[in-house]
Amino acid sequence: MRNDPAKGLGLIRIGVIGLGVMGGSLARALSGIPDREFTLLGYSPDPAERDQAATAGAVDRVAESAEALVGDADLLVYATPMDVTLDLIPAHGPLWKPHAVLTDVTSLQVPTARAAAEAGAGPRWVGSHPMAGSERAGFGASTRDLYRNARVWICPGSGDPGRGAAEQVRTLWKTVGAVPEAVAAEDHDRLMIRASHLPQVLSNALAAVLRGQGVTASDLGPGGRDMTRLAASSPDMWLPLLRQSGPELAGLLREVGLTLESIAGDLDDAGSSDSGRTALEGLAELMETTWTWRQFP
């Protein structure tokens, strides 16, 4: 018999709060599962997104309020920006069904896990962070295949010896074609500050310099477009994350600054006939190192 993750979810009600790129894509993917047994509920504070999701058939029912959805969901997904999620968790704690499993899609897991624990979620909270997304925003930017083959970090809560809640969240992501992988919340956040937040801010910095030099986005070639794609990401989504990762991210940015200053010094020296070859050899060595790192991950 074919293994069908959707059957593992069973006769439950799945609630998605937030119907932008992340939540909308999850709803689209779940609603398209053939012969599914679960019911899909959705809510967005944006009336336009609620209407779009209903028209697209992305949910079985659009809730009138987040509170109404929370009290009706057996598996609840917070697909909202981090600051919104941190506000909603304590407000919704008294409304959660007694055995509801709770998860999110934020790119920092320690703050949400802490808030969930304080709200009494205990082992029912299982953080999840899909390595997928878009620089665009809103339900109109959501796609049914956003999570297909995407890695999703799963951060199980403590005190769940049978891992029942974690298994249900894992099944949720397998159902939409994602590849879940377990990790401790602290290890996850340390990696994300380096692998996601640092590239985001560097892309913003590069775009700012190019803009200051009179370069437009249409002037860029493929490499420049790749390097500045993240600069189009929503500040509303990123600023709460950067606030949480601030001190550690600041140290990494200073490390990048030292590397850039060293390269700038080499290029200054390259104009000298005496030291130019030595300077360029140093830069060539750096580029060889990074080429190897990128080609052979």
Side-chain angles (χ1 to χ4, degrees), residues 77-148:
V77 183
Y78 286 93
T80 48
M82 167 163 281
D83 56 337
V84 177
T85 301
L86 291 175
D87 286 341
L88 291 178
I89 287 173
H92 290 173
L95 305 176
W96 292 328
K97 295 177 72 172
H99 302 292
V101 173
L102 316 158
T103 190
D104 66 336
V105 297
T106 59
S107 71
L108 286 178
Q109 289 296 314
V110 170
T112 51
R114 184 184 304 118
E118 292 172 355
R124 297 184 294 138
W125 179 271
V126 181
S128 56
H129 174 216
M131 295 299 286
S134 171
E135 68 278 9
R136 299 170 60 208
F139 182 83
S142 64
T143 66
R144 180 175 174 177
D145 295 325
L146 181 66
Y147 301 117
R148 186 163 299 281

Short mmCIF file of all heavy atoms in Angstrom, two decimals, residues 77-148:
data_model
loop_
_atom_site.label_atom_id
_atom_site.label_comp_id
_atom_site.label_asym_id
_atom_site.label_seq_id
_atom_site.Cartn_x
_atom_site.Cartn_y
_atom_site.Cartn_z
N VAL A 77 -1.41 26.41 13.01
CA VAL A 77 -0.17 26.92 12.43
C VAL A 77 -0.20 28.45 12.46
O VAL A 77 -1.08 29.07 11.88
CB VAL A 77 0.00 26.46 10.97
CG1 VAL A 77 1.34 26.96 10.41
CG2 VAL A 77 -0.09 24.94 10.86
N TYR A 78 0.78 29.03 13.14
CA TYR A 78 0.94 30.49 13.13
C TYR A 78 1.86 30.87 11.98
O TYR A 78 3.08 30.67 12.05
CB TYR A 78 1.52 30.97 14.46
CG TYR A 78 0.53 30.94 15.60
CD1 TYR A 78 0.44 29.83 16.44
CD2 TYR A 78 -0.33 32.01 15.83
CE1 TYR A 78 -0.47 29.79 17.48
CE2 TYR A 78 -1.25 31.98 16.87
CZ TYR A 78 -1.31 30.87 17.69
OH TYR A 78 -2.23 30.84 18.72
N ALA A 79 1.29 31.41 10.91
CA ALA A 79 2.05 31.82 9.74
C ALA A 79 2.08 33.34 9.67
O ALA A 79 1.71 33.95 8.67
CB ALA A 79 1.45 31.22 8.47
N THR A 80 2.51 33.94 10.76
CA THR A 80 2.54 35.39 10.92
C THR A 80 3.96 35.84 11.22
O THR A 80 4.80 35.04 11.65
CB THR A 80 1.60 35.81 12.06
OG1 THR A 80 1.87 34.99 13.21
CG2 THR A 80 0.15 35.63 11.67
N PRO A 81 4.28 37.13 11.00
CA PRO A 81 5.61 37.62 11.36
C PRO A 81 5.91 37.39 12.83
O PRO A 81 5.00 37.27 13.66
CB PRO A 81 5.52 39.13 11.04
CG PRO A 81 4.45 39.23 10.00
CD PRO A 81 3.45 38.16 10.35
N MET A 82 7.20 37.36 13.16
CA MET A 82 7.58 36.97 14.51
C MET A 82 6.95 37.86 15.58
O MET A 82 6.45 37.34 16.60
CB MET A 82 9.10 37.01 14.67
CG MET A 82 9.56 36.92 16.12
SD MET A 82 11.26 36.47 16.30
CE MET A 82 11.14 34.71 16.04
N ASP A 83 6.97 39.17 15.40
CA ASP A 83 6.42 40.03 16.44
C ASP A 83 4.93 39.79 16.63
O ASP A 83 4.42 39.82 17.76
CB ASP A 83 6.70 41.51 16.14
CG ASP A 83 6.18 41.95 14.79
OD1 ASP A 83 5.99 41.10 13.90
OD2 ASP A 83 5.97 43.17 14.61
N VAL A 84 4.23 39.51 15.53
CA VAL A 84 2.79 39.21 15.62
C VAL A 84 2.59 37.88 16.34
O VAL A 84 1.72 37.75 17.22
CB VAL A 84 2.15 39.18 14.22
CG1 VAL A 84 0.68 38.78 14.32
CG2 VAL A 84 2.28 40.54 13.55
N THR A 85 3.38 36.88 15.98
CA THR A 85 3.27 35.57 16.62
C THR A 85 3.52 35.68 18.12
O THR A 85 2.79 35.08 18.93
CB THR A 85 4.28 34.58 16.00
OG1 THR A 85 4.03 34.47 14.60
CG2 THR A 85 4.17 33.21 16.62
N LEU A 86 4.52 36.45 18.51
CA LEU A 86 4.83 36.60 19.93
C LEU A 86 3.72 37.32 20.68
O LEU A 86 3.53 37.09 21.89
CB LEU A 86 6.16 37.35 20.10
CG LEU A 86 7.41 36.59 19.66
CD1 LEU A 86 8.64 37.48 19.76
CD2 LEU A 86 7.60 35.31 20.46
N ASP A 87 2.97 38.17 20.00
CA ASP A 87 1.81 38.82 20.62
C ASP A 87 0.62 37.87 20.71
O ASP A 87 -0.14 37.89 21.69
CB ASP A 87 1.41 40.06 19.83
CG ASP A 87 2.37 41.22 20.03
OD1 ASP A 87 3.13 41.21 21.02
OD2 ASP A 87 2.39 42.13 19.17
N LEU A 88 0.44 37.04 19.67
CA LEU A 88 -0.73 36.17 19.62
C LEU A 88 -0.64 35.00 20.60
O LEU A 88 -1.66 34.58 21.15
CB LEU A 88 -0.91 35.63 18.19
CG LEU A 88 -1.32 36.64 17.12
CD1 LEU A 88 -1.40 35.95 15.76
CD2 LEU A 88 -2.65 37.30 17.47
N ILE A 89 0.55 34.46 20.80
CA ILE A 89 0.68 33.26 21.64
C ILE A 89 0.09 33.46 23.04
O ILE A 89 -0.77 32.68 23.47
CB ILE A 89 2.15 32.80 21.70
CG1 ILE A 89 2.56 32.17 20.35
CG2 ILE A 89 2.35 31.79 22.82
CD1 ILE A 89 4.04 31.84 20.25
N PRO A 90 0.48 34.49 23.79
CA PRO A 90 -0.11 34.64 25.14
C PRO A 90 -1.60 34.99 25.09
O PRO A 90 -2.36 34.58 25.97
CB PRO A 90 0.71 35.77 25.77
CG PRO A 90 1.32 36.51 24.62
CD PRO A 90 1.55 35.48 23.56
N ALA A 91 -2.01 35.73 24.04
CA ALA A 91 -3.42 36.08 23.93
C ALA A 91 -4.28 34.86 23.62
O ALA A 91 -5.43 34.76 24.09
CB ALA A 91 -3.61 37.14 22.85
N HIS A 92 -3.73 33.92 22.86
CA HIS A 92 -4.50 32.75 22.44
C HIS A 92 -4.39 31.57 23.40
O HIS A 92 -5.19 30.63 23.32
CB HIS A 92 -4.03 32.30 21.05
CG HIS A 92 -4.43 33.24 19.97
ND1 HIS A 92 -3.99 33.08 18.66
CD2 HIS A 92 -5.22 34.34 19.97
CE1 HIS A 92 -4.50 34.06 17.91
NE2 HIS A 92 -5.24 34.83 18.70
N GLY A 93 -3.39 31.62 24.30
CA GLY A 93 -3.19 30.49 25.20
C GLY A 93 -4.45 29.96 25.86
O GLY A 93 -4.72 28.75 25.82
N PRO A 94 -5.27 30.83 26.44
CA PRO A 94 -6.49 30.34 27.10
C PRO A 94 -7.53 29.77 26.13
O PRO A 94 -8.48 29.10 26.57
CB PRO A 94 -7.04 31.59 27.79
CG PRO A 94 -5.88 32.52 27.90
CD PRO A 94 -5.05 32.26 26.69
N LEU A 95 -7.36 30.03 24.84
CA LEU A 95 -8.36 29.62 23.85
C LEU A 95 -8.00 28.31 23.16
O LEU A 95 -8.84 27.72 22.48
CB LEU A 95 -8.52 30.72 22.79
CG LEU A 95 -8.86 32.12 23.30
CD1 LEU A 95 -8.89 33.11 22.15
CD2 LEU A 95 -10.18 32.12 24.04
N TRP A 96 -6.75 27.87 23.27
CA TRP A 96 -6.35 26.64 22.59
C TRP A 96 -7.16 25.46 23.10
O TRP A 96 -7.44 25.34 24.30
CB TRP A 96 -4.87 26.34 22.85
CG TRP A 96 -3.91 27.31 22.22
CD1 TRP A 96 -4.07 28.00 21.06
CD2 TRP A 96 -2.63 27.70 22.75
NE1 TRP A 96 -2.97 28.79 20.82
CE2 TRP A 96 -2.07 28.62 21.83
CE3 TRP A 96 -1.91 27.36 23.89
CZ2 TRP A 96 -0.82 29.21 22.04
CZ3 TRP A 96 -0.67 27.94 24.10
CH2 TRP A 96 -0.13 28.84 23.18
N LYS A 97 -7.52 24.56 22.19
CA LYS A 97 -8.15 23.32 22.61
C LYS A 97 -7.17 22.54 23.49
O LYS A 97 -5.96 22.59 23.26
CB LYS A 97 -8.57 22.49 21.38
CG LYS A 97 -9.64 23.17 20.54
CD LYS A 97 -9.99 22.38 19.30
CE LYS A 97 -10.76 21.12 19.62
NZ LYS A 97 -11.26 20.45 18.39
N PRO A 98 -7.66 21.79 24.46
CA PRO A 98 -6.78 21.14 25.44
C PRO A 98 -5.70 20.25 24.84
O PRO A 98 -4.61 20.14 25.40
CB PRO A 98 -7.75 20.34 26.30
CG PRO A 98 -9.05 21.06 26.18
CD PRO A 98 -9.09 21.60 24.78
N HIS A 99 -6.02 19.62 23.70
CA HIS A 99 -5.03 18.70 23.12
C HIS A 99 -4.55 19.17 21.75
O HIS A 99 -3.95 18.39 21.00
CB HIS A 99 -5.64 17.30 23.01
CG HIS A 99 -6.10 16.74 24.32
ND1 HIS A 99 -5.23 16.40 25.33
CD2 HIS A 99 -7.35 16.50 24.81
CE1 HIS A 99 -5.91 15.95 26.37
NE2 HIS A 99 -7.20 16.01 26.08
N ALA A 100 -4.75 20.44 21.43
CA ALA A 100 -4.33 20.96 20.13
C ALA A 100 -2.80 20.96 20.03
O ALA A 100 -2.10 21.25 21.00
CB ALA A 100 -4.86 22.37 19.92
N VAL A 101 -2.30 20.63 18.85
CA VAL A 101 -0.87 20.72 18.55
C VAL A 101 -0.63 22.07 17.88
O VAL A 101 -1.39 22.49 17.01
CB VAL A 101 -0.42 19.57 17.64
CG1 VAL A 101 1.01 19.76 17.18
CG2 VAL A 101 -0.57 18.24 18.38
N LEU A 102 0.44 22.75 18.27
CA LEU A 102 0.69 24.12 17.85
C LEU A 102 2.06 24.24 17.20
O LEU A 102 3.04 23.66 17.67
CB LEU A 102 0.64 25.04 19.08
CG LEU A 102 -0.53 24.78 20.03
CD1 LEU A 102 -0.23 25.31 21.41
CD2 LEU A 102 -1.80 25.40 19.48
N THR A 103 2.14 25.02 16.11
CA THR A 103 3.41 25.22 15.44
C THR A 103 3.43 26.59 14.78
O THR A 103 2.44 27.34 14.83
CB THR A 103 3.69 24.09 14.42
OG1 THR A 103 5.04 24.20 13.94
CG2 THR A 103 2.73 24.16 13.24
N ASP A 104 4.56 26.93 14.16
CA ASP A 104 4.71 28.22 13.52
C ASP A 104 5.61 28.07 12.31
O ASP A 104 5.98 26.95 11.94
CB ASP A 104 5.30 29.25 14.50
CG ASP A 104 6.73 28.90 14.90
OD1 ASP A 104 7.10 27.70 14.82
OD2 ASP A 104 7.48 29.79 15.30
N VAL A 105 5.98 29.19 11.67
CA VAL A 105 6.89 29.13 10.53
C VAL A 105 7.99 30.19 10.65
O VAL A 105 8.61 30.56 9.66
CB VAL A 105 6.15 29.31 9.18
CG1 VAL A 105 5.14 28.19 8.96
CG2 VAL A 105 5.46 30.68 9.10
N THR A 106 8.26 30.67 11.86
CA THR A 106 9.22 31.76 12.02
C THR A 106 10.66 31.26 11.92
O THR A 106 10.96 30.11 12.22
CB THR A 106 9.03 32.47 13.37
OG1 THR A 106 9.19 31.54 14.43
CG2 THR A 106 7.65 33.09 13.44
N SER A 107 11.56 32.17 11.55
CA SER A 107 12.94 31.76 11.31
C SER A 107 13.82 31.86 12.56
O SER A 107 15.02 31.60 12.49
CB SER A 107 13.57 32.58 10.18
OG SER A 107 13.80 33.90 10.58
N LEU A 108 13.24 32.23 13.70
CA LEU A 108 13.91 32.10 14.99
C LEU A 108 12.97 31.33 15.91
O LEU A 108 11.81 31.73 16.09
CB LEU A 108 14.24 33.47 15.58
CG LEU A 108 15.39 34.24 14.94
CD1 LEU A 108 15.56 35.59 15.62
CD2 LEU A 108 16.69 33.45 14.99
N GLN A 109 13.47 30.26 16.51
CA GLN A 109 12.61 29.36 17.26
C GLN A 109 12.69 29.51 18.77
O GLN A 109 11.75 29.17 19.47
CB GLN A 109 12.92 27.92 16.86
CG GLN A 109 12.46 27.56 15.46
CD GLN A 109 10.94 27.63 15.33
OE1 GLN A 109 10.22 27.12 16.18
NE2 GLN A 109 10.46 28.26 14.27
N VAL A 110 13.79 30.02 19.28
CA VAL A 110 13.90 30.16 20.73
C VAL A 110 12.87 31.15 21.29
O VAL A 110 12.19 30.84 22.28
CB VAL A 110 15.33 30.58 21.13
CG1 VAL A 110 15.39 30.97 22.61
CG2 VAL A 110 16.31 29.44 20.86
N PRO A 111 12.68 32.34 20.69
CA PRO A 111 11.69 33.27 21.26
C PRO A 111 10.27 32.73 21.25
O PRO A 111 9.53 32.90 22.22
CB PRO A 111 11.82 34.51 20.36
CG PRO A 111 13.19 34.41 19.76
CD PRO A 111 13.43 32.95 19.58
N THR A 112 9.87 32.06 20.17
CA THR A 112 8.50 31.54 20.10
C THR A 112 8.32 30.36 21.06
O THR A 112 7.27 30.23 21.69
CB THR A 112 8.14 31.12 18.67
OG1 THR A 112 9.15 30.24 18.15
CG2 THR A 112 8.02 32.33 17.76
N ALA A 113 9.33 29.52 21.19
CA ALA A 113 9.24 28.39 22.12
C ALA A 113 9.12 28.89 23.56
O ALA A 113 8.37 28.34 24.36
CB ALA A 113 10.46 27.47 21.97
N ARG A 114 9.87 29.93 23.87
CA ARG A 114 9.80 30.50 25.22
C ARG A 114 8.41 31.08 25.49
O ARG A 114 7.83 30.84 26.56
CB ARG A 114 10.87 31.59 25.36
CG ARG A 114 10.95 32.18 26.77
CD ARG A 114 11.95 33.32 26.84
NE ARG A 114 13.27 32.91 26.38
CZ ARG A 114 13.89 33.43 25.34
NH1 ARG A 114 13.32 34.37 24.61
NH2 ARG A 114 15.11 33.01 25.00
N ALA A 115 7.87 31.81 24.51
CA ALA A 115 6.54 32.39 24.69
C ALA A 115 5.48 31.30 24.82
O ALA A 115 4.56 31.41 25.63
CB ALA A 115 6.21 33.30 23.50
N ALA A 116 5.62 30.22 24.04
CA ALA A 116 4.66 29.13 24.10
C ALA A 116 4.70 28.43 25.45
O ALA A 116 3.67 28.06 26.02
CB ALA A 116 4.92 28.14 22.97
N ALA A 117 5.91 28.24 25.97
CA ALA A 117 6.05 27.60 27.28
C ALA A 117 5.40 28.46 28.37
O ALA A 117 4.70 27.94 29.25
CB ALA A 117 7.52 27.37 27.60
N GLU A 118 5.60 29.77 28.29
CA GLU A 118 5.01 30.67 29.28
C GLU A 118 3.49 30.70 29.17
O GLU A 118 2.79 30.95 30.17
CB GLU A 118 5.58 32.07 29.10
CG GLU A 118 7.06 32.18 29.46
CD GLU A 118 7.67 33.52 29.11
OE1 GLU A 118 6.94 34.35 28.48
OE2 GLU A 118 8.84 33.76 29.44
N ALA A 119 2.96 30.41 27.96
CA ALA A 119 1.51 30.39 27.75
C ALA A 119 0.89 29.05 28.08
O ALA A 119 -0.32 28.87 27.94
CB ALA A 119 1.19 30.76 26.31
N GLY A 120 1.73 28.09 28.52
CA GLY A 120 1.21 26.80 28.95
C GLY A 120 1.08 25.75 27.87
O GLY A 120 0.41 24.74 28.05
N ALA A 121 1.75 25.97 26.71
CA ALA A 121 1.64 25.00 25.62
C ALA A 121 2.36 23.70 25.93
O ALA A 121 1.96 22.63 25.50
CB ALA A 121 2.18 25.60 24.33
N GLY A 122 3.46 23.79 26.69
CA GLY A 122 4.21 22.59 27.03
C GLY A 122 4.67 21.82 25.81
O GLY A 122 5.07 22.41 24.80
N PRO A 123 4.57 20.49 25.83
CA PRO A 123 5.05 19.67 24.71
C PRO A 123 4.19 19.78 23.46
O PRO A 123 4.56 19.26 22.41
CB PRO A 123 5.01 18.25 25.28
CG PRO A 123 3.95 18.30 26.33
CD PRO A 123 4.07 19.67 26.94
N ARG A 124 3.05 20.45 23.56
CA ARG A 124 2.18 20.57 22.38
C ARG A 124 2.73 21.57 21.37
O ARG A 124 2.29 21.61 20.23
CB ARG A 124 0.77 20.98 22.80
CG ARG A 124 0.08 19.96 23.67
CD ARG A 124 -1.35 20.37 23.97
NE ARG A 124 -1.41 21.57 24.78
CZ ARG A 124 -2.27 22.57 24.57
NH1 ARG A 124 -3.11 22.52 23.56
NH2 ARG A 124 -2.30 23.63 25.37
N TRP A 125 3.69 22.42 21.80
CA TRP A 125 4.29 23.38 20.88
C TRP A 125 5.48 22.72 20.19
O TRP A 125 6.42 22.25 20.82
CB TRP A 125 4.77 24.63 21.61
CG TRP A 125 5.40 25.62 20.66
CD1 TRP A 125 6.71 25.68 20.29
CD2 TRP A 125 4.73 26.64 19.92
NE1 TRP A 125 6.90 26.69 19.38
CE2 TRP A 125 5.69 27.29 19.14
CE3 TRP A 125 3.39 27.07 19.87
CZ2 TRP A 125 5.38 28.35 18.29
CZ3 TRP A 125 3.08 28.13 19.02
CH2 TRP A 125 4.06 28.76 18.26
N VAL A 126 5.45 22.70 18.86
CA VAL A 126 6.53 22.15 18.05
C VAL A 126 6.89 23.20 17.01
O VAL A 126 6.15 23.43 16.05
CB VAL A 126 6.13 20.84 17.35
CG1 VAL A 126 7.30 20.29 16.53
CG2 VAL A 126 5.66 19.81 18.36
N GLY A 127 8.00 23.86 17.21
CA GLY A 127 8.40 24.89 16.26
C GLY A 127 8.76 24.30 14.91
O GLY A 127 9.29 23.19 14.83
N SER A 128 8.46 25.02 13.85
CA SER A 128 8.87 24.57 12.51
C SER A 128 9.24 25.78 11.66
O SER A 128 8.61 26.83 11.76
CB SER A 128 7.77 23.74 11.83
OG SER A 128 6.55 24.44 11.75
N HIS A 129 10.27 25.62 10.87
CA HIS A 129 10.75 26.71 10.03
C HIS A 129 11.08 26.17 8.63
O HIS A 129 12.09 25.51 8.44
CB HIS A 129 11.99 27.36 10.63
CG HIS A 129 12.61 28.39 9.73
ND1 HIS A 129 13.96 28.59 9.63
CD2 HIS A 129 12.02 29.27 8.86
CE1 HIS A 129 14.19 29.55 8.75
NE2 HIS A 129 13.04 29.97 8.27
N PRO A 130 10.23 26.44 7.65
CA PRO A 130 10.51 26.00 6.27
C PRO A 130 11.59 26.85 5.64
O PRO A 130 11.57 28.08 5.73
CB PRO A 130 9.17 26.21 5.55
CG PRO A 130 8.16 26.53 6.61
CD PRO A 130 8.92 27.10 7.76
N MET A 131 12.54 26.21 4.99
CA MET A 131 13.57 26.93 4.24
C MET A 131 13.02 27.22 2.84
O MET A 131 13.49 26.69 1.83
CB MET A 131 14.84 26.10 4.19
CG MET A 131 15.48 25.89 5.56
SD MET A 131 15.97 27.45 6.35
CE MET A 131 17.41 27.85 5.39
N ALA A 132 12.03 28.05 2.81
CA ALA A 132 11.36 28.44 1.57
C ALA A 132 10.70 29.78 1.81
O ALA A 132 10.44 30.17 2.95
CB ALA A 132 10.31 27.40 1.17
N GLY A 133 10.43 30.49 0.74
CA GLY A 133 9.78 31.79 0.90
C GLY A 133 9.90 32.60 -0.37
O GLY A 133 10.22 32.08 -1.44
N SER A 134 9.67 33.88 -0.24
CA SER A 134 9.70 34.78 -1.40
C SER A 134 9.95 36.19 -0.89
O SER A 134 9.60 36.53 0.24
CB SER A 134 8.37 34.73 -2.15
OG SER A 134 8.30 35.73 -3.15
N GLU A 135 10.59 37.01 -1.73
CA GLU A 135 10.73 38.42 -1.39
C GLU A 135 9.42 39.17 -1.57
O GLU A 135 9.26 40.30 -1.11
CB GLU A 135 11.83 39.08 -2.23
CG GLU A 135 11.53 39.22 -3.71
CD GLU A 135 11.82 37.95 -4.51
OE1 GLU A 135 12.08 36.89 -3.89
OE2 GLU A 135 11.78 38.02 -5.75
N ARG A 136 8.45 38.55 -2.25
CA ARG A 136 7.13 39.14 -2.42
C ARG A 136 6.27 38.85 -1.19
O ARG A 136 6.62 38.03 -0.35
CB ARG A 136 6.47 38.60 -3.69
CG ARG A 136 7.24 38.91 -4.97
CD ARG A 136 6.67 38.15 -6.14
NE ARG A 136 5.27 38.50 -6.36
CZ ARG A 136 4.37 37.68 -6.91
NH1 ARG A 136 4.72 36.44 -7.26
NH2 ARG A 136 3.13 38.08 -7.08
N ALA A 137 5.14 39.54 -1.09
CA ALA A 137 4.29 39.39 0.09
C ALA A 137 2.84 39.23 -0.33
O ALA A 137 2.45 39.56 -1.45
CB ALA A 137 4.44 40.62 0.99
N GLY A 138 2.01 38.71 0.60
CA GLY A 138 0.58 38.60 0.37
C GLY A 138 0.15 37.28 -0.22
O GLY A 138 0.95 36.51 -0.76
N PHE A 139 -1.15 37.02 -0.14
CA PHE A 139 -1.69 35.76 -0.66
C PHE A 139 -1.44 35.63 -2.16
O PHE A 139 -1.22 34.52 -2.65
CB PHE A 139 -3.20 35.68 -0.38
CG PHE A 139 -3.82 34.39 -0.85
CD1 PHE A 139 -3.75 33.25 -0.06
CD2 PHE A 139 -4.44 34.30 -2.09
CE1 PHE A 139 -4.30 32.05 -0.48
CE2 PHE A 139 -5.00 33.11 -2.52
CZ PHE A 139 -4.93 31.98 -1.72
N GLY A 140 -1.46 36.75 -2.86
CA GLY A 140 -1.24 36.69 -4.31
C GLY A 140 0.12 36.16 -4.69
O GLY A 140 0.32 35.69 -5.82
N ALA A 141 1.08 36.21 -3.76
CA ALA A 141 2.42 35.68 -4.04
C ALA A 141 2.57 34.23 -3.61
O ALA A 141 3.62 33.62 -3.82
CB ALA A 141 3.47 36.53 -3.34
N SER A 142 1.54 33.65 -3.00
CA SER A 142 1.62 32.26 -2.53
C SER A 142 1.49 31.29 -3.70
O SER A 142 0.89 31.61 -4.73
CB SER A 142 0.52 31.98 -1.50
OG SER A 142 -0.77 32.09 -2.09
N THR A 143 2.08 30.12 -3.53
CA THR A 143 2.04 29.09 -4.57
C THR A 143 1.80 27.73 -3.93
O THR A 143 2.20 27.49 -2.78
CB THR A 143 3.34 29.02 -5.38
OG1 THR A 143 4.41 28.58 -4.52
CG2 THR A 143 3.70 30.37 -5.98
N ARG A 144 1.20 26.85 -4.67
CA ARG A 144 0.90 25.51 -4.16
C ARG A 144 2.16 24.68 -3.94
O ARG A 144 2.19 23.80 -3.07
CB ARG A 144 -0.03 24.80 -5.15
CG ARG A 144 -0.42 23.39 -4.74
CD ARG A 144 -1.44 22.80 -5.69
NE ARG A 144 -1.72 21.42 -5.39
CZ ARG A 144 -2.61 20.68 -6.04
NH1 ARG A 144 -3.31 21.22 -7.03
NH2 ARG A 144 -2.81 19.43 -5.70
N ASP A 145 3.23 24.97 -4.69
CA ASP A 145 4.43 24.13 -4.64
C ASP A 145 5.58 24.76 -3.86
O ASP A 145 6.72 24.29 -3.95
CB ASP A 145 4.91 23.83 -6.07
CG ASP A 145 3.91 23.00 -6.85
OD1 ASP A 145 3.26 22.14 -6.24
OD2 ASP A 145 3.77 23.22 -8.07
N LEU A 146 5.32 25.80 -3.08
CA LEU A 146 6.41 26.49 -2.39
C LEU A 146 7.23 25.55 -1.51
O LEU A 146 8.45 25.68 -1.41
CB LEU A 146 5.84 27.63 -1.53
CG LEU A 146 6.87 28.46 -0.76
CD1 LEU A 146 7.76 29.25 -1.73
CD2 LEU A 146 6.20 29.38 0.24
N TYR A 147 6.56 24.59 -0.87
CA TYR A 147 7.25 23.74 0.09
C TYR A 147 7.71 22.39 -0.46
O TYR A 147 8.31 21.61 0.26
CB TYR A 147 6.33 23.50 1.30
CG TYR A 147 5.93 24.77 1.98
CD1 TYR A 147 4.60 25.18 2.03
CD2 TYR A 147 6.88 25.60 2.57
CE1 TYR A 147 4.22 26.36 2.65
CE2 TYR A 147 6.53 26.78 3.19
CZ TYR A 147 5.20 27.16 3.22
OH TYR A 147 4.84 28.34 3.83
N ARG A 148 7.43 22.17 -1.72
CA ARG A 148 7.82 20.88 -2.30
C ARG A 148 9.33 20.73 -2.30
O ARG A 148 10.06 21.58 -2.81
CB ARG A 148 7.27 20.73 -3.72
CG ARG A 148 7.52 19.35 -4.32
CD ARG A 148 6.63 19.10 -5.52
NE ARG A 148 5.22 19.15 -5.17
CZ ARG A 148 4.56 18.16 -4.58
NH1 ARG A 148 5.19 17.04 -4.25
NH2 ARG A 148 3.27 18.29 -4.31
#
